[in-house]
Amino acid sequence: MELSEFKAVMEGLLFASGDEGISQKQLEQILGLDADAVQHVLDELKYDYEHAERGITIMESNDVLHLTTKPEHTAYYQKLMDTPQTSRLSQAALETLAIIAYQQPITRAEIEEVRGVKSDRPVQTLMSRGLIAEKGRKEGVGRPILYGTSTEFLTYFGLRSLDELPPLPESVEQADVEGEADLFFKNFQDQLEEE
C-alpha cells in the first residue's frame, strides 16, 4: 500500500472510532505497521490537516487520537447547535408519539407493552423536542411518570386540540391502531416538510 492509501485508511479509522478515539497501538495492529511507520503516516496526515483549508484536525489526549473540529471555527459550530432541529422523527419516535397521543396519559412501561420493545430512546427524543411532557405520576408501585402530548405537539402537527386527531376505527387490533396513527403522523410530517 502507498502512503496516500495508508493516510486514507487511517483517516477512516479515526473517523469510525468516534468519541472513543483510537490509540496508536490499535493503529499499528490494524494497519499491520510498526510504531515508526504509523507515526510517519500520522505525522503526514496531521501535516495535511494543518496546511490545508480543512475543518477538522487530529487531537491527541491521554494517548488516544481523535478527529475533532478546529477551535478557530467555534462560532460556526455554536450557530449550528443554536439552530432548531428540523430533522425527521424516527419510526420508533413516531410510533411512540402515536401511542402517547391516543392513549394519554400513559407510562413508559405501558408504551413498551404496546410497542413490544424498549422505548427509552424514543421517549427521550420526544421529550427533548418538546412534543410530549410529563403529566404527573400514576398511583401504584414506584409511581411511574405519566406522559402526554404538549402544546408544541399541537403546533407541530397543526392541530387546535386533541379532538382533531383522526378517530381510530372501532374494531381493530392494537397493531392496526399503531399503523393508522403512524400513517397519520407521517402524512402530517410530510406536509410540514413541503411547506
Side-chain angles (χ1 to χ4, degrees):
M1 221 185 307
E2 292 186 24
L3 177 62
S4 60
E5 197 170 347
F6 275 118
K7 288 191 322 188
V9 171
M10 185 177 288
E11 182 178 48
L13 291 169
L14 285 162
F15 178 79
S17 68
D19 291 339
E20 291 181 21
I22 191 167
S23 71
Q24 198 161 333
K25 288 275 188 223
Q26 288 174 298
L27 288 172
E28 291 168 20
Q29 292 171 344
I30 294 168
L31 295 172
L33 298 174
D34 64 28
D36 290 336
V38 167
Q39 186 61 54
H40 177 71
V41 174
L42 186 57
D43 289 341
E44 288 285 327
L45 194 54
K46 284 180 180 179
Y47 180 87
D48 290 350
Y49 284 129
E50 291 168 8
H51 293 88
E53 295 299 320
R54 305 285 297 267
I56 55 177
T57 189
I58 298 173
M59 178 188 78
E60 187 169 353
S61 174
N62 296 329
D63 297 324
V64 177
L65 301 160
H66 302 270
L67 271 184
T68 184
T69 55
K70 289 189 172 178
E72 57 264 31
H73 301 149
T74 300
Y76 297 100
Y77 308 135
Q78 189 59 50
K79 284 181 184 178
L80 173 66
M81 300 308 289
D82 292 342
T83 303
Q85 291 185 359
T86 57
S87 61
R88 301 180 76 164
L89 292 172
S90 68
Q91 182 66 30
L94 284 172
E95 288 173 8
T96 303
L97 185 57
I99 292 164
I100 293 169
Y102 282 98
Q103 298 185 12
Q104 61 187 307
I106 187 170
T107 66
R108 187 175 307 187
E110 292 166 338
I111 295 166
E112 291 170 355
E113 187 176 314
V114 172
R115 287 191 68 226
V117 294
K118 292 199 71 62
S119 298
D120 296 346
R121 183 64 128 209
V123 168
Q124 185 179 20
T125 298
L126 295 170
M127 287 287 289
S128 70
R129 298 240 182 132
L131 295 173
I132 63 170
E134 293 182 12
K135 300 292 184 178
R137 294 205 172 251
K138 187 173 185 173
E139 294 298 323
V141 178
R143 296 193 32 92
I145 297 170
L146 290 166
Y147 295 98
T149 55
S150 65
T151 306
E152 180 68 27
F153 164 82
L154 296 173
T155 304
Y156 185 86
F157 289 105
L159 303 171
R160 286 187 290 273
S161 73
L162 292 174
D163 296 333
E164 291 184 359
L165 284 173
L168 294 172
E170 294 294 320
S171 59
V172 293
E173 297 295 317
Q174 188 64 38
D176 294 334
V177 170
E178 293 171 42
E180 289 291 324
D182 288 347
L183 180 61
F184 169 76
F185 289 122
K186 183 182 182 323
N187 289 340
F188 259 118
Q189 191 164 10
D190 290 345
Q191 285 175 351
L192 288 173
E193 288 172 359
E194 289 171 7
E195 294 174 358

